[in-house]
Amino acid sequence: MTVKVRDLLPADAEDFVRVRRAALPYMVTTAEQVVRDLADAPPDRRYRLLVAEEDGEVIGTAQVGVAHESPVPGQGFCTPYTHPDHRGRGAGSLLVRTAEEYLAGVGATSVYTWVLDEPANRAFAAKRGYEPRRRAHFLRLDLAHGTLPPLPDLPAGVELRTGADFAGDPRPLFRADAEATADEPSDVPAELSDYEDWLATTWHRPSLDHGLTSVVVVDGEVAAFSAAQTDGESRYGTAMTGTRRAYRGRGLAKLAKTDSLHRARAAGYTDAYTGNDAGNAPMLAINTWFGYTVCATEVRHVRPLVRPGNTPTVL
């Protein structure tokens, strides 16, 4: 049996999602989203989706590209996953090697990857020269049987709206997202400065549910939001929850997320997922308050692709 790696074709999208859900069931994704992400990726992202195939069956996947929104140039990324039933056959190694060669060829000087915090996964990364950095948690909330906190009375001047209310002009949400993203803990910082890019890759994402996205407006200004993504079936995920700097410390992010979770449960979603950097204590506290529990932990790893003196690493 021979494993080979190639670029994803539209017909592979369902298999891509199947493998991702088996390897990482805490991520909310759909086949439509996979295809759109590839089609809408800006050129500077150098985005590729790879699949590992064995005897015609997709058994592994990888997202590969460059962090084009980072102020630090040359930061590549690769997120490989192998179906749990097909590990140990070389798919992961071949995906990583293919990704590294590609990233080095487009000028990346380092490659970041997320690794599940399990002995075998961390050993796989260490063997290939990756060093651990930040930790992040996946969290789950049982929407079907859990108890959500009630929505509080709104203070004077505070309104709850949805993303759908901004369909005609989402720019206020872009500004709020850009401010929150800039302050998010990460060793690969991001700056959202291209509104058209944000429209294509965030606002118009098929998985983003505008009706379940809650927005807190204070005296007519967007102050906080909780963006929701779904698989259209049972799974709801928080894509981003944030508060603009001038409004922090007033519980507005918690208000936005409370509203979004109530909307999600009323819409029939049964499983809520979110992710938090391990150093993001305020958001972890909010999610614990809601009843989320950690279901898995990942560790971001990095490997340089260029040695001192700009001599390319032998991959």
PDB file of all heavy atoms in Angstrom, residues 73-112:
ATOM      1  N   PRO A  73       6.980  39.070   8.850  1.00  0.00           N
ATOM      2  CA  PRO A  73       6.948  38.324   7.579  1.00  0.00           C
ATOM      3  C   PRO A  73       7.564  36.936   7.708  1.00  0.00           C
ATOM      4  O   PRO A  73       8.342  36.654   8.618  1.00  0.00           O
ATOM      5  CB  PRO A  73       7.782  39.210   6.645  1.00  0.00           C
ATOM      6  CG  PRO A  73       8.730  39.930   7.556  1.00  0.00           C
ATOM      7  CD  PRO A  73       7.967  40.165   8.839  1.00  0.00           C
ATOM      8  N   GLY A  74       7.194  36.065   6.769  1.00  0.00           N
ATOM      9  CA  GLY A  74       7.856  34.775   6.647  1.00  0.00           C
ATOM     10  C   GLY A  74       7.370  33.685   7.568  1.00  0.00           C
ATOM     11  O   GLY A  74       8.020  32.643   7.679  1.00  0.00           O
ATOM     12  N   GLN A  75       6.239  33.879   8.216  1.00  0.00           N
ATOM     13  CA  GLN A  75       5.741  32.860   9.133  1.00  0.00           C
ATOM     14  C   GLN A  75       4.767  31.922   8.419  1.00  0.00           C
ATOM     15  O   GLN A  75       3.660  32.307   8.072  1.00  0.00           O
ATOM     16  CB  GLN A  75       5.052  33.516  10.328  1.00  0.00           C
ATOM     17  CG  GLN A  75       6.010  34.360  11.162  1.00  0.00           C
ATOM     18  CD  GLN A  75       5.329  34.939  12.378  1.00  0.00           C
ATOM     19  OE1 GLN A  75       5.426  34.402  13.479  1.00  0.00           O
ATOM     20  NE2 GLN A  75       4.606  36.023  12.172  1.00  0.00           N
ATOM     21  N   GLY A  76       5.224  30.714   8.193  1.00  0.00           N
ATOM     22  CA  GLY A  76       4.384  29.725   7.543  1.00  0.00           C
ATOM     23  C   GLY A  76       3.618  28.901   8.564  1.00  0.00           C
ATOM     24  O   GLY A  76       3.930  28.901   9.752  1.00  0.00           O
ATOM     25  N   PHE A  77       2.594  28.193   8.079  1.00  0.00           N
ATOM     26  CA  PHE A  77       1.853  27.301   8.972  1.00  0.00           C
ATOM     27  C   PHE A  77       1.509  26.017   8.240  1.00  0.00           C
ATOM     28  O   PHE A  77       1.384  25.979   7.022  1.00  0.00           O
ATOM     29  CB  PHE A  77       0.571  27.971   9.491  1.00  0.00           C
ATOM     30  CG  PHE A  77      -0.432  28.338   8.434  1.00  0.00           C
ATOM     31  CD1 PHE A  77      -1.368  27.418   7.968  1.00  0.00           C
ATOM     32  CD2 PHE A  77      -0.442  29.618   7.885  1.00  0.00           C
ATOM     33  CE1 PHE A  77      -2.287  27.761   6.993  1.00  0.00           C
ATOM     34  CE2 PHE A  77      -1.368  29.980   6.908  1.00  0.00           C
ATOM     35  CZ  PHE A  77      -2.293  29.042   6.456  1.00  0.00           C
ATOM     36  N   CYS A  78       1.393  24.970   9.011  1.00  0.00           N
ATOM     37  CA  CYS A  78       1.010  23.659   8.493  1.00  0.00           C
ATOM     38  C   CYS A  78       0.247  22.936   9.591  1.00  0.00           C
ATOM     39  O   CYS A  78       0.753  22.811  10.707  1.00  0.00           O
ATOM     40  CB  CYS A  78       2.239  22.853   8.082  1.00  0.00           C
ATOM     41  SG  CYS A  78       1.881  21.112   7.716  1.00  0.00           S
ATOM     42  N   THR A  79      -0.968  22.494   9.299  1.00  0.00           N
ATOM     43  CA  THR A  79      -1.755  21.764  10.290  1.00  0.00           C
ATOM     44  C   THR A  79      -2.129  20.401   9.715  1.00  0.00           C
ATOM     45  O   THR A  79      -3.163  20.260   9.063  1.00  0.00           O
ATOM     46  CB  THR A  79      -3.030  22.539  10.674  1.00  0.00           C
ATOM     47  OG1 THR A  79      -3.767  22.866   9.488  1.00  0.00           O
ATOM     48  CG2 THR A  79      -2.683  23.821  11.393  1.00  0.00           C
ATOM     49  N   PRO A  80      -1.284  19.388   9.939  1.00  0.00           N
ATOM     50  CA  PRO A  80      -1.563  18.062   9.396  1.00  0.00           C
ATOM     51  C   PRO A  80      -2.376  17.202  10.370  1.00  0.00           C
ATOM     52  O   PRO A  80      -2.186  17.264  11.589  1.00  0.00           O
ATOM     53  CB  PRO A  80      -0.159  17.475   9.221  1.00  0.00           C
ATOM     54  CG  PRO A  80       0.638  18.098  10.329  1.00  0.00           C
ATOM     55  CD  PRO A  80       0.042  19.472  10.562  1.00  0.00           C
ATOM     56  N   TYR A  81      -3.280  16.411   9.815  1.00  0.00           N
ATOM     57  CA  TYR A  81      -4.057  15.468  10.621  1.00  0.00           C
ATOM     58  C   TYR A  81      -4.194  14.165   9.854  1.00  0.00           C
ATOM     59  O   TYR A  81      -4.446  14.172   8.650  1.00  0.00           O
ATOM     60  CB  TYR A  81      -5.458  16.018  10.934  1.00  0.00           C
ATOM     61  CG  TYR A  81      -5.439  17.251  11.795  1.00  0.00           C
ATOM     62  CD1 TYR A  81      -5.631  18.511  11.225  1.00  0.00           C
ATOM     63  CD2 TYR A  81      -5.190  17.171  13.163  1.00  0.00           C
ATOM     64  CE1 TYR A  81      -5.594  19.652  12.014  1.00  0.00           C
ATOM     65  CE2 TYR A  81      -5.144  18.303  13.948  1.00  0.00           C
ATOM     66  CZ  TYR A  81      -5.350  19.545  13.373  1.00  0.00           C
ATOM     67  OH  TYR A  81      -5.293  20.677  14.145  1.00  0.00           O
ATOM     68  N   THR A  82      -4.031  13.069  10.574  1.00  0.00           N
ATOM     69  CA  THR A  82      -4.208  11.744  10.002  1.00  0.00           C
ATOM     70  C   THR A  82      -5.395  11.073  10.674  1.00  0.00           C
ATOM     71  O   THR A  82      -5.570  11.199  11.892  1.00  0.00           O
ATOM     72  CB  THR A  82      -2.951  10.880  10.197  1.00  0.00           C
ATOM     73  OG1 THR A  82      -1.828  11.540   9.602  1.00  0.00           O
ATOM     74  CG2 THR A  82      -3.123   9.508   9.565  1.00  0.00           C
ATOM     75  N   HIS A  83      -6.201  10.387   9.905  1.00  0.00           N
ATOM     76  CA  HIS A  83      -7.336   9.667  10.480  1.00  0.00           C
ATOM     77  C   HIS A  83      -6.823   8.677  11.529  1.00  0.00           C
ATOM     78  O   HIS A  83      -5.847   7.954  11.277  1.00  0.00           O
ATOM     79  CB  HIS A  83      -8.104   8.932   9.390  1.00  0.00           C
ATOM     80  CG  HIS A  83      -9.444   8.431   9.819  1.00  0.00           C
ATOM     81  ND1 HIS A  83      -9.598   7.379  10.694  1.00  0.00           N
ATOM     82  CD2 HIS A  83     -10.705   8.857   9.514  1.00  0.00           C
ATOM     83  CE1 HIS A  83     -10.892   7.166  10.902  1.00  0.00           C
ATOM     84  NE2 HIS A  83     -11.579   8.050  10.201  1.00  0.00           N
ATOM     85  N   PRO A  84      -7.424   8.621  12.715  1.00  0.00           N
ATOM     86  CA  PRO A  84      -6.921   7.732  13.776  1.00  0.00           C
ATOM     87  C   PRO A  84      -6.795   6.273  13.363  1.00  0.00           C
ATOM     88  O   PRO A  84      -5.935   5.557  13.885  1.00  0.00           O
ATOM     89  CB  PRO A  84      -7.974   7.895  14.890  1.00  0.00           C
ATOM     90  CG  PRO A  84      -8.559   9.244  14.661  1.00  0.00           C
ATOM     91  CD  PRO A  84      -8.568   9.438  13.174  1.00  0.00           C
ATOM     92  N   ASP A  85      -7.616   5.824  12.424  1.00  0.00           N
ATOM     93  CA  ASP A  85      -7.552   4.420  11.991  1.00  0.00           C
ATOM     94  C   ASP A  85      -6.418   4.151  11.011  1.00  0.00           C
ATOM     95  O   ASP A  85      -6.204   2.996  10.625  1.00  0.00           O
ATOM     96  CB  ASP A  85      -8.872   4.010  11.334  1.00  0.00           C
ATOM     97  CG  ASP A  85     -10.044   4.027  12.303  1.00  0.00           C
ATOM     98  OD1 ASP A  85      -9.797   3.987  13.531  1.00  0.00           O
ATOM     99  OD2 ASP A  85     -11.200   4.088  11.829  1.00  0.00           O
ATOM    100  N   HIS A  86      -5.712   5.204  10.592  1.00  0.00           N
ATOM    101  CA  HIS A  86      -4.684   5.028   9.557  1.00  0.00           C
ATOM    102  C   HIS A  86      -3.341   5.613   9.976  1.00  0.00           C
ATOM    103  O   HIS A  86      -2.515   5.935   9.118  1.00  0.00           O
ATOM    104  CB  HIS A  86      -5.148   5.675   8.246  1.00  0.00           C
ATOM    105  CG  HIS A  86      -6.380   5.051   7.672  1.00  0.00           C
ATOM    106  ND1 HIS A  86      -6.340   3.948   6.859  1.00  0.00           N
ATOM    107  CD2 HIS A  86      -7.696   5.371   7.823  1.00  0.00           C
ATOM    108  CE1 HIS A  86      -7.580   3.619   6.503  1.00  0.00           C
ATOM    109  NE2 HIS A  86      -8.410   4.468   7.084  1.00  0.00           N
ATOM    110  N   ARG A  87      -3.112   5.740  11.253  1.00  0.00           N
ATOM    111  CA  ARG A  87      -1.825   6.270  11.707  1.00  0.00           C
ATOM    112  C   ARG A  87      -0.737   5.213  11.592  1.00  0.00           C
ATOM    113  O   ARG A  87      -1.011   4.016  11.543  1.00  0.00           O
ATOM    114  CB  ARG A  87      -1.952   6.756  13.158  1.00  0.00           C
ATOM    115  CG  ARG A  87      -2.793   8.018  13.281  1.00  0.00           C
ATOM    116  CD  ARG A  87      -3.027   8.424  14.711  1.00  0.00           C
ATOM    117  NE  ARG A  87      -3.874   9.612  14.776  1.00  0.00           N
ATOM    118  CZ  ARG A  87      -4.557   9.983  15.845  1.00  0.00           C
ATOM    119  NH1 ARG A  87      -4.489   9.267  16.952  1.00  0.00           N
ATOM    120  NH2 ARG A  87      -5.303  11.078  15.820  1.00  0.00           N
ATOM    121  N   GLY A  88       0.508   5.688  11.534  1.00  0.00           N
ATOM    122  CA  GLY A  88       1.636   4.778  11.455  1.00  0.00           C
ATOM    123  C   GLY A  88       1.942   4.293  10.057  1.00  0.00           C
ATOM    124  O   GLY A  88       2.754   3.368   9.891  1.00  0.00           O
ATOM    125  N   ARG A  89       1.336   4.899   9.043  1.00  0.00           N
ATOM    126  CA  ARG A  89       1.567   4.470   7.670  1.00  0.00           C
ATOM    127  C   ARG A  89       2.341   5.497   6.856  1.00  0.00           C
ATOM    128  O   ARG A  89       2.482   5.358   5.647  1.00  0.00           O
ATOM    129  CB  ARG A  89       0.235   4.167   6.984  1.00  0.00           C
ATOM    130  CG  ARG A  89      -0.585   3.117   7.713  1.00  0.00           C
ATOM    131  CD  ARG A  89      -1.831   2.733   6.969  1.00  0.00           C
ATOM    132  NE  ARG A  89      -2.677   1.867   7.787  1.00  0.00           N
ATOM    133  CZ  ARG A  89      -3.823   1.325   7.380  1.00  0.00           C
ATOM    134  NH1 ARG A  89      -4.252   1.578   6.152  1.00  0.00           N
ATOM    135  NH2 ARG A  89      -4.532   0.557   8.168  1.00  0.00           N
ATOM    136  N   GLY A  90       2.805   6.559   7.524  1.00  0.00           N
ATOM    137  CA  GLY A  90       3.642   7.547   6.852  1.00  0.00           C
ATOM    138  C   GLY A  90       2.911   8.736   6.288  1.00  0.00           C
ATOM    139  O   GLY A  90       3.539   9.629   5.707  1.00  0.00           O
ATOM    140  N   ALA A  91       1.579   8.795   6.463  1.00  0.00           N
ATOM    141  CA  ALA A  91       0.830   9.908   5.888  1.00  0.00           C
ATOM    142  C   ALA A  91       1.219  11.231   6.528  1.00  0.00           C
ATOM    143  O   ALA A  91       1.426  12.235   5.834  1.00  0.00           O
ATOM    144  CB  ALA A  91      -0.672   9.667   6.052  1.00  0.00           C
ATOM    145  N   GLY A  92       1.326  11.257   7.857  1.00  0.00           N
ATOM    146  CA  GLY A  92       1.681  12.490   8.545  1.00  0.00           C
ATOM    147  C   GLY A  92       3.054  12.995   8.142  1.00  0.00           C
ATOM    148  O   GLY A  92       3.231  14.196   7.880  1.00  0.00           O
ATOM    149  N   SER A  93       4.028  12.104   8.082  1.00  0.00           N
ATOM    150  CA  SER A  93       5.386  12.494   7.700  1.00  0.00           C
ATOM    151  C   SER A  93       5.421  13.069   6.289  1.00  0.00           C
ATOM    152  O   SER A  93       6.090  14.076   6.021  1.00  0.00           O
ATOM    153  CB  SER A  93       6.324  11.288   7.788  1.00  0.00           C
ATOM    154  OG  SER A  93       6.395  10.804   9.117  1.00  0.00           O
ATOM    155  N   LEU A  94       4.702  12.438   5.382  1.00  0.00           N
ATOM    156  CA  LEU A  94       4.706  12.893   3.993  1.00  0.00           C
ATOM    157  C   LEU A  94       3.989  14.241   3.856  1.00  0.00           C
ATOM    158  O   LEU A  94       4.433  15.116   3.093  1.00  0.00           O
ATOM    159  CB  LEU A  94       4.041  11.843   3.106  1.00  0.00           C
ATOM    160  CG  LEU A  94       4.141  12.055   1.591  1.00  0.00           C
ATOM    161  CD1 LEU A  94       5.592  12.213   1.153  1.00  0.00           C
ATOM    162  CD2 LEU A  94       3.493  10.880   0.850  1.00  0.00           C
ATOM    163  N   LEU A  95       2.920  14.441   4.600  1.00  0.00           N
ATOM    164  CA  LEU A  95       2.230  15.728   4.581  1.00  0.00           C
ATOM    165  C   LEU A  95       3.142  16.843   5.091  1.00  0.00           C
ATOM    166  O   LEU A  95       3.229  17.918   4.489  1.00  0.00           O
ATOM    167  CB  LEU A  95       0.966  15.659   5.442  1.00  0.00           C
ATOM    168  CG  LEU A  95      -0.230  14.918   4.849  1.00  0.00           C
ATOM    169  CD1 LEU A  95      -1.259  14.621   5.933  1.00  0.00           C
ATOM    170  CD2 LEU A  95      -0.874  15.723   3.717  1.00  0.00           C
ATOM    171  N   VAL A  96       3.835  16.584   6.201  1.00  0.00           N
ATOM    172  CA  VAL A  96       4.717  17.604   6.773  1.00  0.00           C
ATOM    173  C   VAL A  96       5.861  17.920   5.825  1.00  0.00           C
ATOM    174  O   VAL A  96       6.204  19.088   5.595  1.00  0.00           O
ATOM    175  CB  VAL A  96       5.248  17.146   8.150  1.00  0.00           C
ATOM    176  CG1 VAL A  96       6.345  18.086   8.638  1.00  0.00           C
ATOM    177  CG2 VAL A  96       4.110  17.098   9.162  1.00  0.00           C
ATOM    178  N   ARG A  97       6.488  16.894   5.265  1.00  0.00           N
ATOM    179  CA  ARG A  97       7.613  17.125   4.361  1.00  0.00           C
ATOM    180  C   ARG A  97       7.177  17.911   3.122  1.00  0.00           C
ATOM    181  O   ARG A  97       7.864  18.848   2.692  1.00  0.00           O
ATOM    182  CB  ARG A  97       8.238  15.795   3.945  1.00  0.00           C
ATOM    183  CG  ARG A  97       9.492  15.969   3.097  1.00  0.00           C
ATOM    184  CD  ARG A  97      10.304  14.692   3.007  1.00  0.00           C
ATOM    185  NE  ARG A  97       9.620  13.646   2.257  1.00  0.00           N
ATOM    186  CZ  ARG A  97       9.148  12.523   2.780  1.00  0.00           C
ATOM    187  NH1 ARG A  97       9.253  12.305   4.089  1.00  0.00           N
ATOM    188  NH2 ARG A  97       8.558  11.613   2.020  1.00  0.00           N
ATOM    189  N   THR A  98       6.028  17.561   2.564  1.00  0.00           N
ATOM    190  CA  THR A  98       5.520  18.274   1.394  1.00  0.00           C
ATOM    191  C   THR A  98       5.242  19.734   1.736  1.00  0.00           C
ATOM    192  O   THR A  98       5.573  20.652   0.970  1.00  0.00           O
ATOM    193  CB  THR A  98       4.235  17.605   0.882  1.00  0.00           C
ATOM    194  OG1 THR A  98       4.509  16.236   0.567  1.00  0.00           O
ATOM    195  CG2 THR A  98       3.717  18.316  -0.357  1.00  0.00           C
ATOM    196  N   ALA A  99       4.646  19.957   2.911  1.00  0.00           N
ATOM    197  CA  ALA A  99       4.326  21.323   3.332  1.00  0.00           C
ATOM    198  C   ALA A  99       5.583  22.142   3.560  1.00  0.00           C
ATOM    199  O   ALA A  99       5.670  23.310   3.144  1.00  0.00           O
ATOM    200  CB  ALA A  99       3.481  21.282   4.601  1.00  0.00           C
ATOM    201  N   GLU A 100       6.574  21.574   4.213  1.00  0.00           N
ATOM    202  CA  GLU A 100       7.811  22.305   4.500  1.00  0.00           C
ATOM    203  C   GLU A 100       8.532  22.679   3.207  1.00  0.00           C
ATOM    204  O   GLU A 100       9.046  23.801   3.078  1.00  0.00           O
ATOM    205  CB  GLU A 100       8.716  21.454   5.387  1.00  0.00           C
ATOM    206  CG  GLU A 100       8.211  21.325   6.818  1.00  0.00           C
ATOM    207  CD  GLU A 100       9.076  20.413   7.662  1.00  0.00           C
ATOM    208  OE1 GLU A 100       9.819  19.574   7.075  1.00  0.00           O
ATOM    209  OE2 GLU A 100       9.030  20.520   8.892  1.00  0.00           O
ATOM    210  N   GLU A 101       8.589  21.767   2.274  1.00  0.00           N
ATOM    211  CA  GLU A 101       9.251  22.060   1.003  1.00  0.00           C
ATOM    212  C   GLU A 101       8.533  23.192   0.271  1.00  0.00           C
ATOM    213  O   GLU A 101       9.167  24.090  -0.294  1.00  0.00           O
ATOM    214  CB  GLU A 101       9.296  20.805   0.143  1.00  0.00           C
ATOM    215  CG  GLU A 101      10.253  19.736   0.678  1.00  0.00           C
ATOM    216  CD  GLU A 101      10.171  18.431  -0.092  1.00  0.00           C
ATOM    217  OE1 GLU A 101       9.245  18.295  -0.933  1.00  0.00           O
ATOM    218  OE2 GLU A 101      11.013  17.548   0.153  1.00  0.00           O
ATOM    219  N   TYR A 102       7.222  23.152   0.299  1.00  0.00           N
ATOM    220  CA  TYR A 102       6.450  24.201  -0.354  1.00  0.00           C
ATOM    221  C   TYR A 102       6.673  25.552   0.322  1.00  0.00           C
ATOM    222  O   TYR A 102       6.921  26.563  -0.349  1.00  0.00           O
ATOM    223  CB  TYR A 102       4.966  23.838  -0.325  1.00  0.00           C
ATOM    224  CG  TYR A 102       4.063  24.978  -0.735  1.00  0.00           C
ATOM    225  CD1 TYR A 102       4.028  25.417  -2.059  1.00  0.00           C
ATOM    226  CD2 TYR A 102       3.261  25.630   0.201  1.00  0.00           C
ATOM    227  CE1 TYR A 102       3.204  26.467  -2.440  1.00  0.00           C
ATOM    228  CE2 TYR A 102       2.438  26.679  -0.168  1.00  0.00           C
ATOM    229  CZ  TYR A 102       2.412  27.101  -1.487  1.00  0.00           C
ATOM    230  OH  TYR A 102       1.621  28.142  -1.856  1.00  0.00           O
ATOM    231  N   LEU A 103       6.598  25.588   1.653  1.00  0.00           N
ATOM    232  CA  LEU A 103       6.747  26.847   2.379  1.00  0.00           C
ATOM    233  C   LEU A 103       8.143  27.432   2.198  1.00  0.00           C
ATOM    234  O   LEU A 103       8.303  28.651   2.033  1.00  0.00           O
ATOM    235  CB  LEU A 103       6.442  26.635   3.860  1.00  0.00           C
ATOM    236  CG  LEU A 103       4.971  26.353   4.185  1.00  0.00           C
ATOM    237  CD1 LEU A 103       4.813  25.928   5.637  1.00  0.00           C
ATOM    238  CD2 LEU A 103       4.106  27.579   3.883  1.00  0.00           C
ATOM    239  N   ALA A 104       9.159  26.588   2.237  1.00  0.00           N
ATOM    240  CA  ALA A 104      10.515  27.087   1.994  1.00  0.00           C
ATOM    241  C   ALA A 104      10.625  27.679   0.596  1.00  0.00           C
ATOM    242  O   ALA A 104      11.286  28.703   0.386  1.00  0.00           O
ATOM    243  CB  ALA A 104      11.528  25.950   2.181  1.00  0.00           C
ATOM    244  N   GLY A 105       9.929  27.078  -0.365  1.00  0.00           N
ATOM    245  CA  GLY A 105       9.982  27.548  -1.731  1.00  0.00           C
ATOM    246  C   GLY A 105       9.303  28.886  -1.953  1.00  0.00           C
ATOM    247  O   GLY A 105       9.635  29.608  -2.898  1.00  0.00           O
ATOM    248  N   VAL A 106       8.348  29.237  -1.089  1.00  0.00           N
ATOM    249  CA  VAL A 106       7.658  30.529  -1.248  1.00  0.00           C
ATOM    250  C   VAL A 106       8.217  31.578  -0.291  1.00  0.00           C
ATOM    251  O   VAL A 106       7.640  32.660  -0.152  1.00  0.00           O
ATOM    252  CB  VAL A 106       6.129  30.384  -1.053  1.00  0.00           C
ATOM    253  CG1 VAL A 106       5.545  29.460  -2.101  1.00  0.00           C
ATOM    254  CG2 VAL A 106       5.776  29.929   0.357  1.00  0.00           C
ATOM    255  N   GLY A 107       9.337  31.260   0.361  1.00  0.00           N
ATOM    256  CA  GLY A 107      10.035  32.265   1.147  1.00  0.00           C
ATOM    257  C   GLY A 107       9.754  32.270   2.636  1.00  0.00           C
ATOM    258  O   GLY A 107      10.227  33.174   3.351  1.00  0.00           O
ATOM    259  N   ALA A 108       9.015  31.309   3.143  1.00  0.00           N
ATOM    260  CA  ALA A 108       8.780  31.258   4.585  1.00  0.00           C
ATOM    261  C   ALA A 108      10.084  30.931   5.305  1.00  0.00           C
ATOM    262  O   ALA A 108      10.898  30.143   4.824  1.00  0.00           O
ATOM    263  CB  ALA A 108       7.720  30.219   4.917  1.00  0.00           C
ATOM    264  N   THR A 109      10.279  31.548   6.462  1.00  0.00           N
ATOM    265  CA  THR A 109      11.497  31.305   7.244  1.00  0.00           C
ATOM    266  C   THR A 109      11.238  30.438   8.464  1.00  0.00           C
ATOM    267  O   THR A 109      12.173  30.006   9.136  1.00  0.00           O
ATOM    268  CB  THR A 109      12.107  32.636   7.702  1.00  0.00           C
ATOM    269  OG1 THR A 109      11.130  33.376   8.452  1.00  0.00           O
ATOM    270  CG2 THR A 109      12.569  33.455   6.499  1.00  0.00           C
ATOM    271  N   SER A 110       9.969  30.200   8.770  1.00  0.00           N
ATOM    272  CA  SER A 110       9.619  29.326   9.883  1.00  0.00           C
ATOM    273  C   SER A 110       8.262  28.716   9.593  1.00  0.00           C
ATOM    274  O   SER A 110       7.500  29.223   8.761  1.00  0.00           O
ATOM    275  CB  SER A 110       9.581  30.087  11.211  1.00  0.00           C
ATOM    276  OG  SER A 110       8.622  31.126  11.159  1.00  0.00           O
ATOM    277  N   VAL A 111       7.952  27.623  10.274  1.00  0.00           N
ATOM    278  CA  VAL A 111       6.652  26.989  10.110  1.00  0.00           C
ATOM    279  C   VAL A 111       6.099  26.664  11.492  1.00  0.00           C
ATOM    280  O   VAL A 111       6.785  26.109  12.347  1.00  0.00           O
ATOM    281  CB  VAL A 111       6.730  25.727   9.223  1.00  0.00           C
ATOM    282  CG1 VAL A 111       7.718  24.718   9.753  1.00  0.00           C
ATOM    283  CG2 VAL A 111       5.347  25.094   9.066  1.00  0.00           C
ATOM    284  N   TYR A 112       4.860  27.094  11.703  1.00  0.00           N
ATOM    285  CA  TYR A 112       4.154  26.835  12.950  1.00  0.00           C
ATOM    286  C   TYR A 112       3.109  25.749  12.727  1.00  0.00           C
ATOM    287  O   TYR A 112       2.510  25.651  11.659  1.00  0.00           O
ATOM    288  CB  TYR A 112       3.455  28.105  13.440  1.00  0.00           C
ATOM    289  CG  TYR A 112       4.381  29.129  14.040  1.00  0.00           C
ATOM    290  CD1 TYR A 112       5.116  29.991  13.232  1.00  0.00           C
ATOM    291  CD2 TYR A 112       4.535  29.233  15.422  1.00  0.00           C
ATOM    292  CE1 TYR A 112       5.976  30.934  13.782  1.00  0.00           C
ATOM    293  CE2 TYR A 112       5.386  30.173  15.984  1.00  0.00           C
ATOM    294  CZ  TYR A 112       6.100  31.020  15.152  1.00  0.00           C
ATOM    295  OH  TYR A 112       6.959  31.953  15.713  1.00  0.00           O
TER     296      TYR A 112
END
